[in-house]
């Protein structure tokens, strides 16, 4: 099938992985089943046979496969898929016709509302179609309506199709409470109205009874505005006619087992009983990451494309309206979408969501090229809005918003977002921050750390401070206020002038893992600093992992580190990463011999990626053979000469 799994994917069962890929190829038609007599046997269904192994399904381009899955001959396939599928992805979507969207509506209803799907991701959709985007978001949030000419859901036990007309997702999101609308909202209403008008024309012959419904919806869209403060779950008398299905405020199930039991109870409901609304399902939006951090290997799912979805202010409004009451949402990822000033609407919606009873949002991952707020002010605003957040990952690549396309109708930051009041105590356990160029104000970062007493993991990427004293202030704050901190990571930071601060960290008896990645640790005074560093580590009995990739350790530095494992050491270090440190085979062999001489027992893992071991392959193999008697060695066959040539060519 010419399919290669991602290098970052951990495959526990290759048979199941093969069957999952086989299912996707058959569904999309890239495998011709008619060419194999076993696959085209009338007694055998390739889709049904492989569907129970599918955990992740990707829908691409013009929604290929959606119509086939909801067709009556594939009913058993869809029922099996509803119980096995956990992750649904959309990639490279194009404009689709009404029939395909109607099929997608039914597919999402069965897989999300009656199935085990707990994660929905949208990748690489630079120009989103408004109606399709709203459809995916609202169905993920739990809203459901059969649509024009669509059959009622037999699993929901819906009433007959002659019930009073109900509002659809578009009218719910673009309501009529606020009389004034800006240009973006008027554009959104026009887009939706045009799309619904087209739908009504195409389905008029098949379902004449729906004309009144579609006309009333169209009128409400044309006349409607938006109100960011309104609730998306109003009483049926205010926004919805009787019979409209809407999600309850109760939180969603969190595991596959409980989701299955919830679905089963829904399926067992008698047809005469009242319709039971399905709980909201979790939704996680994921998009591309920076090209420098893309996955390796051809065939891996590309994540290096930028998705400027939210330049279309209609799309940002949709997400913000849903977020304000999406109580079952557990994890939200927004990567490189060009949010711009829409970040303020997002923060208001998150604040409203946090005030809802049963709010379950615990992880937020936000990254973008630009931000209208400095990253530390944005972090403070997020922590204030979501005090129950456990995981926060935030990255801004550039310090200015000059090149970011302007979004019409958006004002500057509201005063309640950039207030100077102290941050209340929060529940953060993991904080990851990627900084743009320029010195960062240490007091702002310290204010976040002081309010995060439960913090267990902190990662700072490309952070720059005005002076070593500012960096020391951050470390002192960690020591005084973050007593639960176990893992600390610094990446791409110039710590050459912060050697005393580094020693301060290595003497911290609460940290279990420290990472200094490409931090230029040994650029100055290596002969004096290395012995001081080794002495600090020998006296630290709590540090379990030390990662030092990209610090030009060299052979001399590696041999100095060997003393950490000597007989008079109290160190309990069991993981050491010395990748990209200009280490040669003879130095690695001497390191192995010293470990043998001291009789040190197995200390865990040793990572040696991208060192100069190809300069003497025989010596390198002997060194690794000796090391494997002491620890688990992870290395690679890296061409150091080519890498050096590439480095020189870019100088």
């Amino acid at each position: 099938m010419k399919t290669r799994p991602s290098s970052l994917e951990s495959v526990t069962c290759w048979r199941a992985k093969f069957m999952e890929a086989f299912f996707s190829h058959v569904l999309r038609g890239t495998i011709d089943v008619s060419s194999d007599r076993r696959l085209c046997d009338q007694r055998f269904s390739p889709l049904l046979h492989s569907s129970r192994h599918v955990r992740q399904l990707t829908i691409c381009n013009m929604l290929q496969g959606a119509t086939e899955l909801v067709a009556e001959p594939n009913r058993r396939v869809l029922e099996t898929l509803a119980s096995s599928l956990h992750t649904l992805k959309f990639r490279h979507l194009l404009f689709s016709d009404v029939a395909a969207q109607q099929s997608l509506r039914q597919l999402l209803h069965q897989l999300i509302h009656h199935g085990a799907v707990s994660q929905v991701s949208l990748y690489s959709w630079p120009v989103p179609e408004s109606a399709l985007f709203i459809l995916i978001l609202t169905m993920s949030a739990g809203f459901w309506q059969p649509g024009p000419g669509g059959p009622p859901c037999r699993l929901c036990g819906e009433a007959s199709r002659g019930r009073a007309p109900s509002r659809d997702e578009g009218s719910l999101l673009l309501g009529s409470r606020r009389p004034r609308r800006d240009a973006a909202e008027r554009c959104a209403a026009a887009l939706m109205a045009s799309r619904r008008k087209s739908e009504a024309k195409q389905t008029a012959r098949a379902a004449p009874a729906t004309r009144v419904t579609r006309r009333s919806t169209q009128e409400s869209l044309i006349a409607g505005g938006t109100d960011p403060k309104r609730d998306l779950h109003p009483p049926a008398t205010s926004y919805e006619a009787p019979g409209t299905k809407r999600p309850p405020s109760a939180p969603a199930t969190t595991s596959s087992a409980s989701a299955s039991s919830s679905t089963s109870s829904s399926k067992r409901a008698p047809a005469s009983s009242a319709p039971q609304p399905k709980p909201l399902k979790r939704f996680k939006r994921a998009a591309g990451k920076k090209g420098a951090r893309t996955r390796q290997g051809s065939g891996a799912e590309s994540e290096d494309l930028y998705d400027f979805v939210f330049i279309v202010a209609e799309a940002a409004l949709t997400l913000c309206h849903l977020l304000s009451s999406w109580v079952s949402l557990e994890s939200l990822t927004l990567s490189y979408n060009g949010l711009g000033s829409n970040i303020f609407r997002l923060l208001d919606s998150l604040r409203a969501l946090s005030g809802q009873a049963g709010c379950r949002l615990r992880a937020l991952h936000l990254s973008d090229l630009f931000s209208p707020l400095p990253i530390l002010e944005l972090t403070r605003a997020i922590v204030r809005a979501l005090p129950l957040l456990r995981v926060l990952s935030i990255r801004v690549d550039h310090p200015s918003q000059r090149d970011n396309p302007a979004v019409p109708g958006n004002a500057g930051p509201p005063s309640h977002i950039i207030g100077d009041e102290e941050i209340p105590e929060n529940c953060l356990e993991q904080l990851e921050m990627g900084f743009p160029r320029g010195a960062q104000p240490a007091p702002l970062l310290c204010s976040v750390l002081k309010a995060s007493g439960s913090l267990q993991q902190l990662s700072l990427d490309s952070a720059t401070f005005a002076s070593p004293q500012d960096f020391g202030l951050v470390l002192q704050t960690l020591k005084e206020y973050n007593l639960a901190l176990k893992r600390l990571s610094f990446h791409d930071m110039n710590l050459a002038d912060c050697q005393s601060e580094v020693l301060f960290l290595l003497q911290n008896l609460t940290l279990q893992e420290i990472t200094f990645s490409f931090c230029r640790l040994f650029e100055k005074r290596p002969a004096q600093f290395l012995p001081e560093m080794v002495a600090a580590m020998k006296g630290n009995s709590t540090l379990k992992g030390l990662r030092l990739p990209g610090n030009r350790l060299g052979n001399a530095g590696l041999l100095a580190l060997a003393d950490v494992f000597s007989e008079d050491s109290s160190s309990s270090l069991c993981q050491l990463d010395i990748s990209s440190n200009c280490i040669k085979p003879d130095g690695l062999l001497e390191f192995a011999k010293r470990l043998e001489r001291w009789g040190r027992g197995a200390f865990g893992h040793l990572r040696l990626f991208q060192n100069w071991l190809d300069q003497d392959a025989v010596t390198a193999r002997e060194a690794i053979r000796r090391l494997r008697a002491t620890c688990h060695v992870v290395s690679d066959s890296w061409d150091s000469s080519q890498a050096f040539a590439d480095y020189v060519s870019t100088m």
Side-chain angles (χ1 to χ4, degrees), residues 500 502-510 514 532 535-537 539-540:
S500 60
V502 171
L503 294 177
F504 176 80
L505 279 176
L506 293 175
Q507 294 167 352
N508 189 316
L509 298 182
T510 62
I514 303 179
E532 296 173 345
M537 294 174 61
N540 191 332

Side-chain angles (χ1 to χ4, degrees), residues 537 540-545 569-575 600:
M537 294 174 61
N540 191 332
S541 59
T542 59
L543 188 64
K544 307 295 182 183
S569 174
S570 301
S571 171
S572 56
L573 195 68
C574 57
Q575 293 186 358
R600 183 79 177 200

Side-chain angles (χ1 to χ4, degrees), residues 134-416:
I134 288 179
L135 172 63
I136 295 174
L137 274 185
T138 52
M139 293 293 287
S140 300
F143 287 92
W144 160 243
Q145 185 190 19
C153 175
R154 57 187 179 82
L155 297 177
C156 289
E158 289 184 340
S160 65
R161 222 188 302 175
R163 69 180 186 271
S166 60
R167 299 276 182 102
D168 63 357
E169 301 92 347
S171 58
L172 280 172
L173 295 174
L174 302 174
S176 57
R177 283 191 177 181
R178 195 175 69 181
R180 283 190 63 194
R181 296 176 294 160
D182 59 23
E185 296 169 31
R186 290 195 298 271
C187 177
L191 286 170
M192 288 297 298
S194 174
R195 190 61 174 168
R196 296 307 184 193
K197 184 176 181 180
S198 175
E199 271 188 37
K201 287 182 178 179
Q202 295 190 34
T203 57
R205 293 190 181 92
T210 63
R211 289 182 181 176
V212 175
T213 303
R214 308 317 300 169
R215 187 181 299 116
S216 63
T217 301
Q218 178 183 340
E219 291 170 356
S220 68
L221 281 170
I222 294 176
T226 59
D227 184 359
K229 297 182 180 179
R230 69 168 177 80
D231 193 348
L232 275 177
H233 308 301
T237 56
S238 62
Y239 273 89
E240 305 168 55
T244 302
K245 300 196 75 63
R246 56 185 177 87
S249 296
T253 51
T254 57
S255 65
S256 300
S258 56
S260 299
S261 63
S262 174
T263 303
S264 300
S265 63
S266 173
K267 292 179 180 178
R268 289 195 298 268
S272 59
S273 63
Q276 298 295 321
K278 294 301 296 178
L280 287 167
K281 302 296 287 186
R282 289 175 292 170
F283 171 80
K284 176 181 179 182
R285 192 196 183 285
K289 297 183 179 180
K290 292 180 63 178
R293 305 179 187 277
T294 185
R295 293 179 176 179
Q296 300 295 322
S298 60
E301 185 173 71
S302 174
E303 288 191 350
D304 58 351
L305 297 177
Y306 293 85
D307 281 352
F308 293 101
V309 170
F310 295 106
I311 286 179
V312 183
E314 185 281 322
L317 284 173
T318 301
L319 177 64
C320 291
H321 276 291
L322 287 172
L323 280 179
S324 61
S325 57
W326 200 332
V327 293
S328 70
L329 186 68
E330 296 182 354
S331 178
L332 176 65
T333 298
L334 297 170
S335 297
Y336 296 99
N337 290 287
L339 277 171
S341 299
N342 286 310
I343 190 66
F344 304 130
R345 282 176 172 163
L346 179 69
L347 288 173
D348 283 335
S349 297
L350 292 176
R351 181 179 292 103
L353 173 63
S354 180
Q356 295 276 355
C359 172
R360 303 180 68 173
L361 184 61
R362 296 296 181 266
L364 176 62
H365 305 265
L366 178 65
S367 53
D368 222 324
L369 288 176
F370 304 94
S371 169
L373 284 177
I375 183 171
L376 286 174
E377 290 188 13
L378 180 59
T379 303
R380 285 166 52 91
I382 293 175
V383 172
R384 276 199 296 259
L386 296 168
L388 297 180
L389 206 63
R390 301 291 178 84
V391 178
L392 174 59
S393 176
I394 182 170
R395 169 180 293 276
V396 178
D397 291 353
H398 300 285
S400 171
Q401 201 188 1
R402 292 191 303 270
D403 302 321
N404 195 26
V407 180
N410 286 325
S415 58
H416 65 277

Side-chain angles (χ1 to χ4, degrees), residues 29 41 90 96 108 131 141 168 175 203 312 353 372 381 399 410 415 419 430 445 459 470 488 502 504 522 544 588:
D41 192 326
F90 295 91
S96 55
L108 293 177
D168 63 357
T203 57
V312 183
L353 173 63
N410 286 325
S415 58
Q430 180 177 338
L445 177 57
S459 176
D470 278 3
L488 186 59
V502 171
F504 176 80
F522 311 111
K544 307 295 182 183
L588 187 63

Side-chain angles (χ1 to χ4, degrees), residues 2 43 78 183 209 249 281 330 566 599:
K2 299 180 180 179
R43 300 166 297 176
L78 185 55
S249 296
K281 302 296 287 186
E330 296 182 354
S566 62

